[in-house]
Amino acid sequence: MNTRMLRLLLGLALLALPGLAGAQMGQGIEALTVTTNGDGGETYSVTLQIILLMTLLTLLPSILIMMTAFTRILVVLAILRQGLGTTQTPSNQILIGLAFFLTLFVMAPVFEEIHDTAVVPYLNEEMGTEEVLAAGVQPLRDFMLAHTRESDLAMFAEINGIDGFEDADDVPLSLLVPAFVTSELKTAFQIGFLILIPFLIIDLVVASVLMSMGMVMLSPLIISLPFKVMLFVLVDGWALLVNTLATSFFV
């Protein structure tokens, strides 16, 4: 992970700590406050900044899954594994790891824009917390709007009782995020459908051959699995799939 990415992650953490910039940046985060009572006793309290930081850390997985390319990539990879018939190969850890790093590759321009427009000014004390939050969210908004169908936006707007939006900036995140996730799931299943077609043909051919030979007790999945794996390897399936997933976000 390069220096720019590390600074971006640091900046995202700092965004949850209003007031850290300036005087407190050189002092660190005071995790525990000890107050002396009038009777000589002591009261211990955790600062609000630590609570905000922990809240941000719990929300990071949801942000990664729902506001980036992660959903589409992971669903397509899961459909591919199901189509091949290898229920446990590749394992969930491998699929999630591949989806994660492919998401970083796809989202790199967005993260760089967040770094340049929000994180750097915040670390240099050139912008306030509210301005930084607005500047940091805008690249993610643009990315989600570019990959969200108008029909999905209109559906959630109708559910929310909104007639329409005059400008893209008027779309609230509470409406944009579910519309974006819905569009991503629809796109992922469309790609998955195209992936499953050749595997389905192989299953049908193998099942027909076995039935014509009277071998009805033999599972067609056992015979078709080597042919599907061979086909996928011969066409360089992993490279084709990764290329398709990556380029689908840049068109």
Side-chain angles (χ1 to χ4, degrees), residues 16-214:
L17 306 176
L20 274 184
Q24 292 189 3
M25 287 191 66
Q27 301 174 1
I29 304 175
E30 188 177 355
L32 189 64
T33 302
V34 181
T35 304
T36 303
N37 300 327
D39 56 358
E42 293 181 341
T43 301
Y44 301 89
S45 62
V46 180
T47 61
L48 180 61
Q49 295 171 347
I50 294 297
I51 298 176
L52 293 176
L53 177 59
M54 298 305 297
T55 302
L56 175 66
L57 292 177
T58 58
L59 293 177
L60 280 179
S62 299
I63 294 174
L64 172 65
I65 294 174
M66 297 300 173
M67 300 176 67
T68 64
F70 186 84
T71 299
R72 181 191 304 187
I73 296 172
L74 185 60
V75 170
V76 171
L77 292 177
I79 292 176
L80 169 66
R81 185 176 65 179
Q82 188 70 26
L84 284 172
T86 55
T87 56
Q88 298 297 329
T89 305
S91 63
N92 292 332
Q93 292 84 351
I94 295 177
L95 290 185
I96 294 175
L98 176 59
F100 174 74
F101 283 102
L102 191 55
T103 300
L104 291 182
F105 172 77
V106 171
M107 300 295 297
V110 179
F111 290 155
E112 289 180 0
E113 186 176 355
I114 295 175
H115 177 270
D116 295 336
T117 60
V119 176
V120 172
Y122 185 81
L123 295 178
N124 294 335
E125 304 180 29
E126 298 174 357
M127 299 176 63
T129 303
E130 294 183 359
E131 297 175 344
V132 169
L133 287 175
V137 169
Q138 189 60 42
L140 280 177
R141 286 178 55 89
D142 295 339
F143 173 82
M144 289 189 290
L145 284 170
H147 297 91
T148 302
R149 291 177 172 83
E150 294 184 2
S151 59
D152 294 324
L153 279 176
M155 178 187 68
F156 282 97
E158 182 180 357
I159 294 174
N160 204 26
I162 301 175
D163 294 334
F165 304 98
E166 297 181 358
D167 193 278
D169 294 334
D170 296 335
V171 181
L173 281 178
S174 59
L175 188 149
L176 177 58
V177 173
F180 170 72
V181 175
T182 303
S183 295
E184 287 294 281
L185 290 174
K186 187 181 300 183
T187 303
F189 275 85
Q190 289 175 347
I191 299 174
F193 171 76
L194 298 176
I195 293 174
L196 290 176
I197 289 178
F199 299 142
L200 176 61
I201 294 175
I202 293 177
D203 287 334
L204 290 175
V205 171
V206 171
S208 300
V209 171
L210 292 178
M211 186 174 295
S212 64
M213 295 175 62

